[in-house]
Amino acid sequence: MESKYPQFDRSRLVVKPLAERLHDLPIDHWLALDAAPLDYAHPHLDQVAERVAQAREHGAARILMMGAHVLRAGVNRQIIDLVERGAIDHIAINGAGAIHDYELARIGATTESVSRYIRTGEFGLWIETGELNDWIVEAVTLNLGLGENVGRRIYASDYPHKDLSVLAAAWRRSVPVTVHAGIGYDILHEHPNCDGAAWGAASYRDFLIFAATVERLEGGVMLSFGSAVMAPEVYLKALAMSRNVAHQQGRTIRDFATAVFDLLPIAGDIHSEPSRNDPGYYFRPYKTILVRTVADGGASFYFCGDHRATFPALRRAILRRL
């Protein structure tokens, strides 16, 4: 049986080279590892850093979940350094995160102006970036995760800026980077070579890899940077699966810490679920990461600030304990 609805014919699209695109973020936007710190302080930052250090010592999970704009904040080197030191042992990103990481490694720039290119229908339609679709099909053929194969491919490439690739560095250190994609969310889904089935298979493998890490979350830490939907929703389902199995085995997964770093100020007690009449109720990291999933014995923390300042501040606090 075939669908009775018409589909968009992608063969009609004009896809242009990245050399013709104006980039909003050039290579000099990315912070050096020893860059002068931006002003950020919080009384609970040291507590989170201490929990990360303890989790590393005991082999518990140290998860970093993040939105793509964390990479756009220019903190790739700081993330890679924590991977190198063993402070982070799993990274979870969305599809846009993989795209920015790839473009930065390949051409030393990323990010296009939506307002500039949506007017002409050019937004997202760039030849080189579309190569990622082929790598995702390859991931399925090789039984690899989406993030795993992208990291492997960037690491093996001759891209001039691959030292800034979080995915490549993590692959080299055998730290999983899982990509949690939503179909239709990313510019790669516009391209004629996009295979939706491959995206689904590779990203679902990544979800199962992520859930396996969450099984080690007892005594661990889950850090969520700038992800209002992906991080709380993916973490919630993986935690439910992991607790289901742990319960059958007579174990618990409840003594761990979560920390949310975001731009939205939260008024009131972050450890109490807001009412449905409060707009904060619909900010998923609040009720899911800070309240519901740690209600049985965990701890949670909230940090409001620019990721360009908060991530380096967290890294400095962790380094004092490693």
Side-chain angles (χ1 to χ4, degrees), residues 36-166:
L38 300 178
D39 184 33
Y40 185 82
H42 193 286
H44 295 152
L45 204 59
D46 284 339
Q47 294 183 47
V48 174
E50 180 62 29
R51 285 179 175 269
V52 170
Q54 290 177 2
R56 175 178 176 268
E57 182 178 349
H58 296 107
R62 289 91 64 201
I63 300 170
L64 169 62
M65 305 188 78
M66 61 182 176
H69 56 285
V70 179
L71 298 180
R72 290 167 53 184
V75 296
N76 289 44
R77 291 185 176 93
Q78 286 70 23
I79 295 170
I80 291 170
D81 185 60
L82 290 184
V83 169
E84 295 279 3
R85 296 173 184 270
I88 293 171
D89 73 347
H90 191 118
I91 298 174
I93 59 176
N94 56 14
I99 292 167
H100 289 307
D101 189 86
Y102 167 88
E103 289 185 346
L104 180 62
R106 181 160 184 164
I107 64 169
T110 189
T111 305
E112 59 188 304
S113 168
V114 175
S115 60
R116 177 186 298 123
Y117 289 113
I118 195 60
R119 294 172 180 172
T120 57
E122 296 171 283
F123 175 70
L125 292 166
W126 310 103
I127 294 171
E128 294 88 343
T129 309
E131 181 183 33
L132 281 169
N133 280 322
D134 298 330
W135 290 3
I136 291 163
V137 171
E138 181 183 57
V140 176
T141 302
L142 298 176
N143 293 317
L144 300 178
L146 197 162
E148 181 179 12
N149 199 46
V150 172
R152 181 183 74 90
R153 279 291 209 153
I154 295 175
Y155 180 74
S157 74
D158 59 357
Y159 296 161
H161 305 286
K162 67 180 184 180
D163 61 305
L164 280 174
S165 170
V166 171

Side-chain angles (χ1 to χ4, degrees), residues 2-294:
E2 295 187 3
S3 172
K4 60 183 178 181
Y5 305 117
Q7 296 185 52
F8 186 92
D9 179 5
R10 296 176 296 176
S11 67
R12 300 174 299 164
L13 293 169
V14 174
V15 186
K16 295 185 176 182
L18 279 172
E20 296 184 18
R21 189 176 84 182
L22 298 176
H23 308 285
D24 288 354
L25 296 178
I27 191 70
D28 58 4
H29 171 72
W30 270 262
L31 289 170
L33 194 59
D34 58 353
L38 300 178
D39 184 33
Y40 185 82
H42 193 286
H44 295 152
L45 204 59
D46 284 339
Q47 294 183 47
V48 174
E50 180 62 29
R51 285 179 175 269
V52 170
Q54 290 177 2
R56 175 178 176 268
E57 182 178 349
H58 296 107
R62 289 91 64 201
I63 300 170
L64 169 62
M65 305 188 78
M66 61 182 176
H69 56 285
V70 179
L71 298 180
R72 290 167 53 184
V75 296
N76 289 44
R77 291 185 176 93
Q78 286 70 23
I79 295 170
I80 291 170
D81 185 60
L82 290 184
V83 169
E84 295 279 3
R85 296 173 184 270
I88 293 171
D89 73 347
H90 191 118
I91 298 174
I93 59 176
N94 56 14
I99 292 167
H100 289 307
D101 189 86
Y102 167 88
E103 289 185 346
L104 180 62
R106 181 160 184 164
I107 64 169
T110 189
T111 305
E112 59 188 304
S113 168
V114 175
S115 60
R116 177 186 298 123
Y117 289 113
I118 195 60
R119 294 172 180 172
T120 57
E122 296 171 283
F123 175 70
L125 292 166
W126 310 103
I127 294 171
E128 294 88 343
T129 309
E131 181 183 33
L132 281 169
N133 280 322
D134 298 330
W135 290 3
I136 291 163
V137 171
E138 181 183 57
V140 176
T141 302
L142 298 176
N143 293 317
L144 300 178
L146 197 162
E148 181 179 12
N149 199 46
V150 172
R152 181 183 74 90
R153 279 291 209 153
I154 295 175
Y155 180 74
S157 74
D158 59 357
Y159 296 161
H161 305 286
K162 67 180 184 180
D163 61 305
L164 280 174
S165 170
V166 171
L167 276 75
W171 187 86
R172 178 174 54 80
R173 294 289 295 176
S174 298
V175 168
V177 176
T178 50
V179 179
H180 304 274
I183 299 300
Y185 285 10
D186 300 313
I187 61 172
L188 291 171
H189 305 155
E190 303 174 38
H191 287 241
N193 68 334
C194 178
D195 184 329
W199 268 88
S203 190
Y204 189 69
R205 181 183 291 273
D206 277 11
F207 172 64
L208 297 181
I209 292 170
F210 178 77
T213 297
V214 173
E215 286 196 87
R216 298 189 293 106
L217 193 53
E218 179 73 5
V221 180
M222 196 284 279
L223 309 170
S224 174
F225 272 80
S227 180
V229 178
M230 181 279 288
E233 295 300 333
V234 171
Y235 155 72
L236 178 66
K237 280 72 171 184
L239 182 61
M241 294 162 66
S242 299
R243 281 178 167 169
N244 182 291
V245 173
H247 179 73
Q248 296 176 60
Q249 298 172 343
R251 298 185 294 108
T252 60
I253 305 177
R254 62 187 183 193
D255 181 15
F256 60 89
T258 62
V260 175
F261 295 74
D262 220 309
L263 305 177
L264 182 71
I266 294 180
D269 182 7
I270 67 162
H271 302 116
S272 297
E273 187 169 317
S275 72
R276 291 177 182 269
N277 297 325
D278 184 339
Y281 177 86
Y282 301 96
F283 179 53
R284 288 174 175 86
Y286 189 170
K287 63 177 183 260
T288 299
I289 300 177
L290 299 178
V291 182
R292 291 177 177 175
T293 57
V294 293

